[in-house]
Amino acid sequence: MPAAKLFVGPQVRHLRQEQGLKLQACAARLGISVSYLSQIEANQRPVTSRVLVSIAEAFGVPPEVFEAREDERLIADLKEAVAESAHPGAPVALSEIRRVALQAPGFARRFLDLHRANQRLAERLNLTEEAVALDEATAASSLLPYEEVREFFHDIDNYVDALDRASEALSDAIGLENGEPPDAKIIGWLKARQGVSVVRAADGELMRRYDPETRTLWVNPRQPAETQTFQLAYHLAAAELSEVIEAELAQARFRTPEAVDVCRVGLGNYAAGALLMPYRRFQATAQALRHDIEALSLTFHTSLEQVCHRLSNLQRPGLRGAPIFFVRMDYAGNITKRHSATRLRFARFGGACPLWNVHQAVGAPDRFLVQVAEMPDGARYLSVARSVAKPSGRYLEPDRHFVLGFGCEIGHAHQFVYSEGIDLSGPAARIGVSCRICERNDCPQRAFPPVDRPLRVPPHERRAVPFRLD
């Protein structure tokens, strides 16, 4: 597949105006014509690799600043939102969507904000109607802060630079090292620096509880060892890095206090993961082990889910890890965690494609399922799925079950141990984002028609899917 064209107009215009340069002076510095520079800034022409290097050198910025990932994510999000909002029979061409995203990114983001607000209102109305019908006093609005926080992490590419670097520095100060259980050093640090005593005692379903008056931190020993370690790291990071966390919360400007509280926990979890798996050491180890999540789990004394989540955080400018996607899904198909540093996008307003191997992992507990998958745009991915269980610690309480899905584009598959023995150029599973926006005309597994295309029902024939798409 030919390389994607790179449009960097808004970034170049911002850099030029920031330095007070006119078009003619900037073009002379770059060694290109004024008309070419004007077309670049208007996103009418992509940049060549030579011009990109010239721009980076002229303005003293790393080439990573101009990566297309942000534009690609904006186009993908806008495409899905437009499909949700379109009237039947009046689809919007992808070329129009791309033009809006590239030439008017501020307008595109505002449209997405309005679309998300409309989705939240629709969800709130549906939940309220259900609550009234069932005579239940359910507060539908309680779901909204979680969605707002999810959008926050999505928009920042699941990477918080200041917090990540501070966590890495704290890990070095404590002296955490690969292969060495971190509990003793974390507990010693808590005692010496904060006067906190750690007690391991069962307390119902609580995983962690802290009493600020007695400075006692209880950790539930019925939880897996990796979970106990993570809870210790959470308390330490949340206390030591509270100023960094509060600064990030202030900058995010959430709409409600509830969203601030939810995100505070999310940032605490982020810091705990970055503390146990510090960026540079974790990235180097991941590359050396070819992203074997079981080996990484043993090396850093973390769970498989914690490793997958951390792999999706490796977005530090100038030191990016292998671009992966990561998703956590429950057995009902609800996506509870998601991130993609690749072109693969997850359904944000509906269910995932049933042909994706994350669904098959439900029936294959404790096994790795590997799939070569192809999206409608022709991009191919190495997709790995694994079911995991979080034990409750009690016979009468059900365990929690999830599926972890992660992978990369085929071009990076050699960096992953899961590509061994797989024919990466062979037949691929033809998946999509979700049925409601899938472009395929011939999928026998389609659950319902796309929202932005007309359909017809042949009166004299019957196929696996009872309708045809025009």
Side-chain angles (χ1 to χ4, degrees):
M1 176 178 293
K5 295 179 180 180
L6 185 60
F7 294 87
V8 296
Q11 299 101 308
V12 173
R13 186 186 304 110
H14 174 76
L15 290 170
R16 177 177 64 80
Q17 294 174 346
E18 194 175 53
Q19 295 192 15
L21 293 175
K22 299 295 185 181
L23 273 172
Q24 187 172 1
C26 185
R29 177 185 293 189
L30 298 176
I32 60 177
S33 67
V34 175
S35 61
Y36 183 22
L37 177 58
S38 178
Q39 290 174 325
I40 289 175
E41 291 195 358
N43 265 342
Q44 295 175 354
R45 291 184 64 177
V47 292
T48 64
S49 57
R50 183 191 66 80
V51 173
L52 181 63
V53 171
S54 298
I55 293 172
E57 292 177 349
F59 292 105
V61 296
E64 290 83 0
V65 170
F66 304 102
E67 288 186 353
R69 186 172 298 130
E70 177 65 25
D71 289 340
E72 291 172 356
R73 183 170 67 240
L74 183 60
I75 291 170
D77 292 346
L78 194 60
K79 177 184 175 183
E80 184 172 357
V82 167
E84 289 280 337
S85 307
H87 295 288
V92 179
L94 179 59
S95 59
E96 293 184 58
I97 295 173
R98 182 179 295 275
R99 189 158 55 248
V100 170
L102 295 178
Q103 297 184 2
F107 178 84
R109 293 189 182 93
R110 180 56 178 159
F111 177 84
L112 287 174
D113 289 341
L114 293 172
H115 178 68
R116 292 163 186 160
N118 181 64
Q119 289 289 333
R120 293 189 187 104
L121 289 174
E123 182 179 353
R124 184 173 184 174
L125 178 60
N126 290 336
L127 290 173
T128 302
E129 289 176 345
E130 290 179 7
V132 171
L134 297 173
D135 195 23
E136 296 177 353
T138 302
S141 61
S142 64
L143 296 175
L144 301 182
Y146 284 90
E147 183 64 25
E148 189 175 359
V149 172
R150 177 181 285 189
E151 297 298 336
F152 164 77
F153 280 103
H154 175 80
D155 291 339
I156 64 173
D157 211 18
N158 206 32
Y159 175 71
V160 188
D161 187 73
L163 187 57
D164 206 296
R165 293 179 187 271
S167 300
E168 185 176 30
L170 180 58
S171 181
D172 291 341
I174 296 172
L176 302 186
E177 298 180 3
N178 289 14
E180 179 181 302
D183 287 30
K185 289 187 175 181
I186 293 177
I187 292 172
W189 187 276
L190 286 170
K191 185 65 176 179
R193 295 290 295 267
Q194 301 179 21
V196 172
S197 299
V198 175
V199 176
R200 297 185 192 267
D203 191 3
E205 64 177 0
L206 286 175
M207 293 186 292
R208 178 192 73 252
R209 180 167 64 85
Y210 177 64
D211 185 343
E213 292 187 3
T214 63
R215 292 185 175 275
T216 303
L217 175 64
W218 280 271
V219 177
N220 194 337
R222 289 177 175 169
Q223 298 298 317
E226 299 85 0
T227 301
Q228 297 179 52
T229 300
F230 192 86
Q231 296 308 318
L232 291 171
Y234 176 93
H235 183 86
L236 174 60
E240 294 279 340
L241 306 178
S242 60
E243 291 185 4
V244 182
I245 291 174
E246 293 304 318
E248 293 292 339
L249 291 171
Q251 187 175 356
R253 297 183 179 180
F254 289 109
R255 296 183 180 90
T256 65
E258 293 83 2
V260 173
D261 292 341
V262 171
C263 192
R264 183 177 289 111
V265 174
L267 291 173
N269 287 332
Y270 184 105
L275 174 70
L276 296 173
M277 296 167 279
Y279 196 102
R280 292 177 184 273
R281 188 147 43 88
F282 182 77
Q283 185 206 35
T285 308
Q287 290 178 344
L289 295 176
R290 297 183 63 199
H291 301 85
D292 186 327
I293 66 171
E294 289 181 301
L296 287 167
S297 172
L298 293 173
T299 300
F300 290 90
H301 299 274
T302 49
S303 69
L304 299 182
E305 180 182 335
Q306 291 162 11
V307 168
C308 289
H309 201 155
R310 186 57 176 152
L311 285 172
S312 75
N313 297 148
L314 301 183
Q315 305 298 312
R316 182 175 294 181
L319 195 64
R320 296 184 187 274
I324 78 164
F325 62 82
F326 166 59
V327 62
R328 187 185 74 177
M329 185 183 75
D330 66 21
Y331 278 14
N334 300 306
I335 295 178
T336 53
K337 287 184 180 180
R338 62 170 182 240
H339 177 67
S340 179
T342 71
R343 286 179 289 172
L344 180 67
R345 296 292 167 237
F346 307 121
R348 303 178 68 189
F349 310 110
C353 176
L355 298 179
W356 193 15
N357 66 342
V358 291
H359 300 287
Q360 300 168 17
V362 173
D366 302 322
R367 286 175 50 202
F368 284 95
L369 301 184
V370 182
Q371 177 188 60
V372 175
E374 182 177 299
M375 293 293 286
D377 63 0
R380 293 164 68 95
Y381 299 87
L382 179 73
S383 177
V384 184
R386 165 72 184 262
S387 66
V388 295
K390 296 189 176 184
S392 67
R394 292 186 175 185
Y395 175 72
L396 295 178
E397 294 181 7
D399 297 339
R400 293 182 296 158
H401 296 271
F402 297 96
V403 171
L404 307 178
F406 63 95
C408 64
E409 294 192 34
I410 288 295
H412 297 277
H414 65 280
Q415 300 181 52
F416 288 74
V417 68
Y418 307 99
S419 65
E420 290 296 323
I422 302 296
D423 183 4
L424 300 178
S425 61
R430 301 171 68 247
I431 68 172
V433 176
S434 71
C435 287
R436 69 181 64 202
I437 62 171
C438 185
E439 303 167 5
R440 300 193 188 280
N441 291 325
D442 56 349
C443 177
Q445 193 68 49
R446 181 178 284 279
F448 44 83
V451 297
D452 61 342
R453 295 174 61 188
L455 61 85
R456 57 185 175 84
V457 180
H460 303 300
E461 64 180 44
R462 180 64 165 87
R463 301 175 183 242
V465 176
F467 52 81
R468 305 297 299 273
L469 300 177
D470 292 333

